């Protein structure tokens, strides 16, 4: 069995973690790129994505090759425990869907995976969330670098009130990516997000002139432009019509070849269609605190989850009967 | 309904009345003094037996005090606004915001006295060792700036706080740090409100009378340095209006010519800034 093969394209970003400095190195070898990612700089290991990919895709291995792992994770808002005892691994270059009734903590879990929770006053995580084996919440870890590597797409499209071009160029600029030609970066990101053909003649126009579905693809393109390894999506299609939704789903399947994707969705069919693995959460009053606390009920390969779930609650939820 | 209509009509009538009252004596003035001589003359001596009506000295006085005021108020006001909107905890904000509003309510005569009694002799001369007379555009401008800080800070803070949280999250999720998020996403999105706050501060600085009358001096002269004294347009109006002048005389009409100029300048500032904002804003 060999899930790994060496690959040296695409993810060589040539990033200078400090500031943009075009003068130091014009020849950006993959070695220097990886040095820029090294543990000393950000307290994070070098991403798996630069050297590994599935050869057997679309076959889903029985156990995920972990990019991110949650180990007995509890998440609190102040004294309120929103999520309890989550242990699961998110597989490399897989799409993982998080499903479950409203309020069970899907968004909370998702936000904890790139430290977006840090921005909510009072939010805190216990247990261990690791990224390539390193504690993502470790004292020497730079949350900003975590978010650069683990991007996020939100429920409501939130393009910046700038031009389409500026929306894409923003990330590479502010994260200090060494970019030889920004036009190429913009074109590549938009192409990968299946938006290029629709916007190539109006790059200088405001992103607000785009339709909701186009705006959401722009947000995906914007995320891709900083070359993350993981993309988190919180109900990315909930504000979109079926056709726009279809396009985003196609895009996700496309992106899975190079990115690890974790998506929260309320749409069962969507999870069944796109996800390799599905995790079902629910909320119940906890014995010790009395709070309605979210917990992970079942996590398995999607086909198994939807055809033959082992937990009665999963089966009820999936078949539309709430427990 | 009829009462409201009456109130509306009354406010229009009053406004028109003010403009006419300002315009008529001013027109009388320009019948006797050439407009170009007025605008380009560098000597202002309307009360002398051989009077001169070059208004540039008053303009330079206003320019200096206003520019110095902005130099103080824009960085401090925007800094305070950014801190309050983006970094301060809700508790700090709850104390700071009302404090700013109280500061905005201090009568300007108090600021004027503060400039005259503390800023000029103690802060500038004793502590910073800058040689000054009793009056200077520097002292007046600094205190004018302090006076408009609350205007700039409070309105800018409103503009920054009104920027949707989703934009900040979008930026942070890309791996931008907070400062870059503030400066490159939040600030441009709030620019029209911020510009409005600066323009309002600027208009207040141009139109403020008490501080400059007390601290800048009342000798109209071409000002070409911050340590000099000088008179502003408003300073002249205050001085002349409180003296005795007979309606219909040239001395009396001078008041209205300067008033009209002040009005025009303020109007121009507003118009230009509206243009600029339209051009640069990133509306969300
Ligand atoms: N910022 C916050 N502050 C305090 N409590 C929060 C916050 N965000 C979420 N919660 C609480 O945490 C629990 C889980 O919320 P979360 O948004 O993660 O649920 P969800 O599964 O994403 O729900 P939905 O499907 O409706 O989006 C809820 O009880 C919610 O009230
Ligand atoms: Mg949610």
């Amino acid at each position: 069995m060999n899930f790994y093969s060496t690959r040296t394209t695409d993810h060589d970003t040539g990033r200078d973690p400090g500031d943009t400095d075009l003068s130091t190195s014009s020849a950006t070898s993959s070695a220097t790129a990886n040095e820029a990612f090294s543990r000393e700089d950000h307290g994070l290991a070098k991403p798996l994505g630069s050297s590994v990919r599935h050869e057997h895709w679309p076959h889903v291995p029985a156990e995920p090759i972990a990019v991110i792992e949650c180990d007995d994770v509890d998440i609190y808002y102040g004294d309120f425990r929103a999520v309890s005892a989550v242990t699961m691994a998110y597989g490399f270059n897989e799409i993982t869907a998080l499903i479950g009734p409203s309020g069970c903590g899907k968004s909370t879990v998702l936000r904890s995976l790139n430290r977006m929770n840090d921005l909510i006053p009072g939010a805190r995580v216990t247990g261990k969330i690791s990224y390539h084996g390193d504690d993502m919440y470790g004292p020497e870890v730079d949350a900003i670098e975590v978010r650069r590597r683990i991007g996020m797409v939100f429920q409501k499209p939130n393009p910046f009130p700038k031009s389409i071009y500026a929306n894409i160029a923003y990330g590479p600029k502010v994260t200090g990516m060494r970019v030889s030609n920004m036009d190429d970066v913009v074109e590549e990101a938009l192409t990968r997000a299946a938006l290029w053909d629709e916007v190539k003649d109006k790059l200088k126009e405001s992103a607000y002139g785009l339709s909701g579905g186009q705006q959401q693809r722009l947000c995906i393109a914007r995320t891709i432009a900083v070359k993350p390894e993981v993309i988190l999506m919180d109900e990315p299609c909930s504000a979109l019509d079926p056709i726009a939704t279809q396009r985003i789903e196609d895009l996700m399947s496309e992106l899975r070849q190079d990115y690890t994707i974790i998506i929260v969705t309320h749409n069962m069919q969507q999870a069944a269609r796109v996800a390799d693995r599905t995790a079902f959460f629910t909320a119940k009053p906890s014995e010790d605190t009395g709070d309605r606390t979210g917990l992970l009920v079942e996590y398995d390969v999607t086909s198994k989850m939807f055809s033959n779930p082992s937990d009665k609650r999963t089966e009820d939820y999936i078949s539309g009967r709430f427990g | 309904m009829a009462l409201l209509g009456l109130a509306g009509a009354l406010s229009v009538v009053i406004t028109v009345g003010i403009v006419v009252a300002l315009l008529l004596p001013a027109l009388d003035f320009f019948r006797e003094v050439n407009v170009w001589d007025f605008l380009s003359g560098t000597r202002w001596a309307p009360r002398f037996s051989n009077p001169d009506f070059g208004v540039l000295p008053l303009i330079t006085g206003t320019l200096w005090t206003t520019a110095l005021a902005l130099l103080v108020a824009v960085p401090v006001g925007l800094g305070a606004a950014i801190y309050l909107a983006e970094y301060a905890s809700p508790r700090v904000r709850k104390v700071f915001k009302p404090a700013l509003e109280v500061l905005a309510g201090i009568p300007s005569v108090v600021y004027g006295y503060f400039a005259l009694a503390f800023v000029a002799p103690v802060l500038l001369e004793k502590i910073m060792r800058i040689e000054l007379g009793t009056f200077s555009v520097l002292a007046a401008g600094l205190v004018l700036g302090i006076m408009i800080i609350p205007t700039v800070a409070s309105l800018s803070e409103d503009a920054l706080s009104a920027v949707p949280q989703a934009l900040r999250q979008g930026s942070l999720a890309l791996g931008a740090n907070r400062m870059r998020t503030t400066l490159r996403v939040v600030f441009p999105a709030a620019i029209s409100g911020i510009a409005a706050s600066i323009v309002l501060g600027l208009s207040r600085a141009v139109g403020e009378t008490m501080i400059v009358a007390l601290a800048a001096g009342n000798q109209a002269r071409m000002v070409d340095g911050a340590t000099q004294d000088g008179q502003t347009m408003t300073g002249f109006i205050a001085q002349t209006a409180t003296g005795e002048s007979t309606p219909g005389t040239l001395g009396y009409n001078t008041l209205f010519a300067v008033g009209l100029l002040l009005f025009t300048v303020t109007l121009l500032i507003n118009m230009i800034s509206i243009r600029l904002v339209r051009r640069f804003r990133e509306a969300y």
Side-chain angles (χ1 to χ4, degrees), chain B residues 103-150:
Chain B
L103 214 59
I106 297 176
S108 61
V109 64
V110 176
Y111 282 105
Y113 189 72
F114 174 64
L116 202 62
F118 174 75
V119 173
V122 181
L123 183 70
L124 293 174
E125 284 206 295
K126 287 242 170 58
I127 298 176
M128 299 181 72
R129 308 220 167 268
I130 301 171
E131 235 170 88
L132 287 180
T134 313
F135 304 114
S136 66
V137 290
L138 181 60
L142 291 186
V143 173
L144 208 51
I146 294 171
M147 185 195 79
I148 62 174
I149 286 173

Side-chain angles (χ1 to χ4, degrees), chain A residues 11-174:
Chain A
H11 280 276
D12 298 341
T13 55
R15 181 180 308 277
D16 181 344
D19 222 328
T20 347
D21 185 352
L22 298 164
S23 64
T24 47
S25 157
S26 49
T28 317
S29 70
S30 65
T32 56
N34 286 339
E35 258 160 42
F37 275 130
S38 71
R39 202 177 297 254
E40 291 80 63
D41 292 324
H42 304 290
L44 290 172
K46 92 180 214 270
L48 211 52
S50 55
S51 57
V52 180
R53 90 184 302 180
H54 283 298
E55 282 203 325
H56 295 246
W57 186 82
H59 169 75
V60 183
E63 289 299 320
I65 302 163
V67 172
I68 299 175
E69 263 176 294
C70 294
D71 185 8
D72 196 22
V73 168
D74 288 6
I75 306 172
Y76 294 82
Y77 294 108
D79 293 332
F80 171 65
R81 185 165 68 188
V83 177
S84 155
V86 174
T87 299
M88 65 188 291
Y90 301 90
F92 174 72
N93 284 13
E94 290 183 356
I95 299 180
T96 306
L98 311 183
I99 62 171
S102 204
C104 68
K106 306 176 294 295
S107 300
T108 300
V109 168
L110 195 74
R111 281 197 299 264
S112 73
L113 302 180
N114 72 341
R115 298 192 54 172
M116 284 299 279
N117 269 347
D118 292 14
L119 307 168
I120 300 171
R124 109 194 114 81
V125 171
T126 66
K128 186 171 170 190
I129 302 180
S130 45
Y131 175 64
H132 296 301
D134 290 339
D135 186 357
M136 195 190 280
Y137 286 79
E140 76 285 10
V141 174
D142 178 4
I144 289 166
E145 180 61 14
V146 170
R147 293 186 207 119
R148 218 274 308 144
R149 299 226 206 141
I150 306 174
M152 189 165 209
V153 174
F154 298 82
Q155 181 167 0
K156 228 176 119 238
N158 59 348
F160 302 126
K162 302 175 188 290
S163 70
I164 292 167
Y165 186 99
N167 262 275
I168 308 291
Y170 176 81
K173 269 189 204 150
V174 297

Side-chain angles (χ1 to χ4, degrees), chain A residues 18-19 114 116 119 144 147-148 150-152 154 158-162 167 170-171 173-176 208 222-223 226, chain B residues 90 164-178 180-186 188-189 281-284:
Chain A
D19 222 328
N114 72 341
M116 284 299 279
L119 307 168
I144 289 166
R147 293 186 207 119
R148 218 274 308 144
I150 306 174
M152 189 165 209
F154 298 82
N158 59 348
F160 302 126
K162 302 175 188 290
N167 262 275
Y170 176 81
K173 269 189 204 150
V174 297
T175 55
Y208 281 31
R222 175 175 85 178
T223 304
V226 297
Chain B
Q165 207 57 31
L167 294 183
R168 292 184 185 82
Q169 287 174 351
S171 169
L172 294 164
L174 290 171
N177 63 24
R178 274 179 77 179
R180 291 202 174 126
T181 299
T182 301
L183 294 181
R184 302 183 68 151
V185 174
V186 182
R281 76 179 170 162
E282 295 183 348
Y284 47 85

